[in-house]
Amino acid sequence: MTDADATQIPIAQTINSSGTSSVVLVCEHASCFIPEALEGLGLSDAAKVSHAAWDPGALGVARQIAKRLDAVLVASCVSRLVYDCNRPPEAPGAMPAKSEIFDVPGNAALTPDQRAARAATYYVPFRDLLVQTVAARPAPVLVTIHSFTPVYNGTPRAVEIGVLHDADTRLADAMLDIATAHTSADVQRNAPYGPGDGVTHTLQVHGTAHGHPNVMIEVRNDLIQTEAEQAQMGDMLAEWLNDACGKLNAQGVACSA
């Protein structure tokens, strides 16, 4: 079987597609699903459900934000080891041969044609759905939701919530200015990742390139292990985003949650 057989499964989905908010939520790493045609990418059972394969808790948080803000959510339905939808096709990390401590045999020897086919099957539908969703909002605000591990390569991470941005810092600045009014968590700018790590592809392509305010939110995944924790985090982030958008509106920037 080939990647083309995966067209029988959903590649990407919208949640709350009739949402009235200007906010467009994105969860690129929402799922650890690997289509049967790819034979598990040669991964162990542990690797298939590890953080290397997806962002645990991120979809639950994003769903709750969507509910609170009445915002549309665009989510990928396949593992980021199949295709990382926050990477362009030419990036090695789009179909990584190794992720964190895990080798990915099914990605190790992809030919240029196979990489192009993988991108066409999994990235392009996600990208096109996000393009259409953003274009349907008169003054869109792009917010991507991710999670990260509390320990990376043996090093504990103190940061609990990361507020990430690329060249357009407007929404991130507004959020950081009022962070302490919304959370007692350790909040840091461009941590545990930043633009130099290649994590701002979605922000660049669907936000900054069109002048839309945008931000990426990273939540340490030990804080969102249960549905209750995800809902609580989503509620807090929704209020925080709403207030940050209010600050931008006061500054004359079209931004409304």
Side-chain angles (χ1 to χ4, degrees):
M1 297 178 74
T2 67
D3 284 2
D5 297 309
T7 56
Q8 298 175 21
I9 66 161
I11 303 303
Q13 64 174 330
T14 56
I15 297 165
N16 194 35
S17 58
S18 60
T20 60
S21 173
S22 294
V23 170
V24 176
L25 293 160
V26 186
C27 197
E28 300 101 316
H29 305 153
S31 174
C32 60
F33 177 70
I34 299 174
E36 185 177 354
L38 299 182
E39 300 179 339
L41 295 174
L43 296 165
S44 68
D45 290 343
K48 290 175 187 176
V49 296
S50 72
H51 178 74
W54 68 319
D55 281 359
L59 181 60
V61 172
R63 281 181 176 273
Q64 186 67 14
I65 300 172
K67 179 180 177 181
R68 286 293 301 272
L69 296 182
D70 191 28
V72 64
L73 166 61
V74 178
S76 171
C77 298
V78 296
S79 170
R80 65 177 173 184
L81 296 181
V82 172
Y83 189 99
D84 186 336
C85 287
N86 193 29
R87 299 290 191 280
E90 64 272 15
M95 293 153 269
K98 184 169 186 175
S99 182
E100 299 184 10
I101 63 172
F102 299 105
D103 291 321
V104 188
N107 292 346
L110 293 174
T111 68
D113 285 348
Q114 288 172 326
R115 289 181 64 88
R118 184 83 68 85
T121 301
Y122 300 104
Y123 174 66
V124 172
F126 173 87
R127 180 200 65 194
D128 290 352
L129 179 61
L130 184 51
V131 167
Q132 295 164 11
T133 303
V134 171
R137 270 71 191 165
V141 179
L142 190 70
V143 179
T144 71
I145 305 297
H146 295 257
S147 72
F148 64 95
T149 57
V151 178
Y152 184 72
N153 285 338
T155 302
R157 288 161 157 169
V159 59
E160 295 176 304
I161 299 175
V163 178
L164 283 61
H165 61 79
D166 202 274
D168 184 348
T169 70
R170 293 174 296 173
L171 186 51
D173 289 344
M175 290 189 68
L176 289 163
D177 284 347
I178 59 173
T180 56
H182 291 275
T183 179
S184 60
D186 185 330
V187 177
Q188 297 182 28
R189 182 191 297 269
N190 281 339
Y193 309 105
D197 300 303
V199 300
T200 56
H201 172 68
T202 298
L203 300 186
Q204 292 173 2
V205 172
H206 301 280
T208 302
H210 305 281
H212 306 320
N214 59 86
V215 71
M216 177 177 175
I217 298 173
E218 284 268 11
V219 180
R220 209 172 67 192
N221 66 27
D222 59 322
L223 304 177
I224 51 173
Q225 293 179 330
T226 68
E227 290 184 4
E229 289 172 337
Q230 293 162 21
Q232 184 178 25
M233 182 65 69
D235 286 343
M236 184 276 289
L237 290 173
E239 292 296 328
W240 189 3
L241 283 163
N242 188 61
D243 286 356
C245 285
K247 281 178 62 70
L248 290 190
N249 283 329
Q251 297 166 10
V253 177
C255 178
S256 175

